[in-house]
């Protein structure tokens, strides 16, 4: 069934928005932005321009390659010492600003997440090279903490002056010995058009340096799965771990929320990979399928209904009646509280309008929760998604490789000679597909959104203000960079990167939290009362307070 935009905004209005905004830009810029602002058609998603360089001067919300590698993918693992090789500022901005949480099993277990390790490069290191300083930093970190692994992350100057972090890693691994694992990432901030390049570089590094080093079958439950692309923001992983455990499913590794080195090393012993944020980690799923024969499916445990769907997919995959029954029992049990909370919130949220502009997958996934609240998503887009995140994985072969994507190392993965073990035969996979199970694929955001809604890639600040001015959504979802500008316009902003100190929002309990939070912020009249001083007074006077 095709959804229609069911409230005051007509398709013509949205068209008008595009004309008005583009009209303000210089010709060349307008031509470029034109390809990134589209009226949606869920049946035949139009081709969007994505993952290309931002026009200089447009205020973008994107981050850098280093942020994607160090901050996003490796950041949530608690027992690796992550050293930023670069000036101190880069280290600071990747230091726990993302709210990824972790819970060591005992009080004495290693947890380095609250530390910020940096080589603090100075002028002299930029001129004469920083490799010696990096070696010294590794020695110091080892003497202080004796970690099992140290990772080195390159910032922009490292690439410019040519420090070889991989050579230093090899050298220090030998010097320290003691079974330590040391590896580097060439994830200089400028290497790609956004943090998305950093995800890819991190995935390659995980595969080369960690996955598959520990063959022991851990855990005593027979249904063994990994969850890829879950980063434990606001405790999401804790809620999902609770749900899996309740169903009797053994979560071998999460990449990388609440994770440890051992979980990565052991991940290849699982029998199913589930990909949550495909943007940041679909590469690992593919590599593990090629090397070890583990099939992967896309899941979206954001929203209670889609969490139930994920669990049913696991049941279907393993095909064991005992597991299927247990899963149904858990869903029935969890849905009691979910339905009560939803019904309560729905009375107020039904018919309200949302806009979502977040990262590379949440602008899509969180639409589930808004649907559960009876709300329409009028406009949405990613900061750094690729075309497949919008149009679906089927378009990948048609995406043109440009100079920016060539800048990222492609690693060749082949079948692991001794450990390749297809978890399902060709026939079994075909039978599951015939039952409606999809392997190696995902739909993009466009097929889920209503016809005529606006899809915008790498939304600029100017476009954001225009959207709000014209359509006054009841809630705008984005991050800290947008938050206060939007709220000053009288519209509440829900941060979907950090959850505004709230969460979890994943799984069943997460859905309940989300319903409550959205009901609270989107259904109050306080925002409409807000006036900036210059809106009510002709002359504003103020005094400095010392
Ligand atoms: Fe994946 Fe993420 Fe996202 Fe992302 Fe991110 Fe994030 Fe995000 Mo902020 S990995 S693409 S680089 S779901 S940090 S946990 S919230 S932009 S939508």
């Amino acid at each position: 069934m095709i959804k229609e935009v069911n409230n005051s905004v007509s398709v013509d209005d949205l068209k008008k928005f595009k004309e008005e905004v583009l009209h303000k830009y210089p010709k060349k810029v307008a031509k470029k932005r034109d390809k990134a602002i589209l009226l949606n058609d869920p049946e035949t998603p139009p081709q969007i321009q994505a993952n290309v360089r931002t026009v200089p001067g447009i205020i973008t919300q994107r981050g850098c390659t280093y942020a994607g590698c160090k901050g996003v993918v490796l950041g949530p693992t608690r027992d690796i010492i992550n050293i930023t090789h670069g000036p101190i500022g880069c280290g600071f901005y990747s230091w726990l600003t993302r709210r990824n949480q972790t819970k060591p099993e005992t009080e004495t277990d290693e947890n380095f997440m609250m530390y910020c390790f940096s080589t603090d490069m100075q002028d002299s290191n930029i001129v004469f090279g920083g490799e010696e300083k990096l070696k010294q930093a590794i020695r110091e970190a080892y003497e202080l903490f004796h970690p099992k692994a140290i990772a080195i992350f390159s910032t922009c100057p490292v690439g410019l002056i040519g420090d070889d972090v991989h050579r230093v890693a090899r050298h220090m691994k030998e010097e320290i010995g003691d079974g330590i694992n040391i590896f580097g990432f060439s994830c200089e901030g400028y290497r790609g058009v956004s943090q998305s390049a950093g995800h890819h570089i991190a995935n390659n590094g995980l595969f080369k340096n960690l996955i598959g080093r520990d063959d022991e079958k851990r855990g005593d439950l027979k249904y063994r799965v990994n969850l890829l692309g879950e980063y434990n923001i606001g405790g999401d992983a804790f809620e999902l771990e609770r749900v899996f455990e309740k169903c009797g499913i053994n979560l071998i590794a999460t990449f990388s929320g609440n994770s440890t080195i051992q979980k990565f090393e052991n991940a290849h012993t699982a029998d199913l990979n589930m990909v949550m944020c495909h943007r940041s980690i679909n590469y690992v799923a593919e590599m593990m399928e090629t090397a070890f024969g583990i099939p992967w499916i896309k899941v979206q445990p954001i929203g209670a209904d889609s969490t139930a769907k994920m669990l049913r997919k696991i049941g279907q995959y393993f095909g064991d009646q005992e597991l299927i029954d247990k899963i149904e029992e858990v869903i029935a049990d969890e849905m009691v509280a979910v339905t009560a909370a939803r019904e309560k919130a729905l009375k107020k949220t039904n018919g309200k309008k949302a806009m979502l502009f977040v990262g590379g997958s949440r602008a899509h996934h969180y639409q589930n929760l808004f649907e559960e609240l009876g709300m329409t998503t009028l406009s949405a887009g990613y900061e750094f998604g690729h075309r497949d995140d919008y149009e679906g994985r089927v378009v990948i072969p048609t995406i043109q490789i440009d100079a920016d994507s060539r800048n990222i190392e492609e690693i060749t993965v082949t079948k692991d000679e001794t450990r390749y073990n297809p978890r399902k035969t060709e026939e079994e996979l075909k039978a599951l597909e015939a039952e409606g199970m999809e392997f190696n694929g995902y739909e993009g955001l466009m097929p889920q959104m209503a016809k005529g809604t606006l899809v915008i890639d790498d939304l600029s600040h100017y476009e954001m203000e225009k959207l709000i001015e014209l359509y006054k959504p009841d809630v705008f979802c984005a991050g800290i960079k947008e938050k206060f500008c939007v709220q000053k316009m009288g519209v509440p902003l829900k941060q979907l990167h950090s959850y505004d100190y709230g969460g979890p929002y994943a799984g069943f309990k997460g859905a309940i939290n989300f319903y409550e939070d959205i009901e609270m912020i989107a259904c109050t009249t306080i925002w409409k009362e807000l006036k900036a001083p210059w809106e009510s007074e002709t002359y504003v006077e103020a005094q400095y307070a010392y």
Side-chain angles (χ1 to χ4, degrees), residues 61 67-68 71-73 98 195-196 199 229-233 276-281 358-366 382-384 496-499:
Q61 319 299 340
V72 174
V73 179
R98 184 160 163 260
Q195 52 267 66
S196 168
H199 302 148
E230 198 303 312
Y231 300 98
N232 204 15
I233 310 298
M276 184 168 164
C277 168
H278 48 283
R279 178 63 277 129
S280 59
I281 211 145
V358 205
S361 73
R362 292 186 176 195
H364 179 195
H365 293 171
Y366 280 75
Y382 302 120
E383 290 163 31
F384 52 79
L496 280 190
H497 300 262
S498 73
Y499 301 161

Side-chain angles (χ1 to χ4, degrees), residues 335-349:
M335 286 308 274
V336 176
V338 168
T339 312
R342 188 187 297 177
E343 276 166 10
K344 180 178 166 285
L346 253 174
K347 286 186 201 130
K348 289 194 186 165
T349 54

Side-chain angles (χ1 to χ4, degrees), residues 14 18 46 86 130 145 251 292 325 339-340 353 404 461 505 521 531:
L14 293 169
K18 186 167 173 174
F145 298 103
L251 186 60
F292 305 111
D325 292 344
T339 312
K353 295 168 289 185
D404 286 313
H461 228 87
Y505 290 146
I521 68 167
K531 286 256 175 296

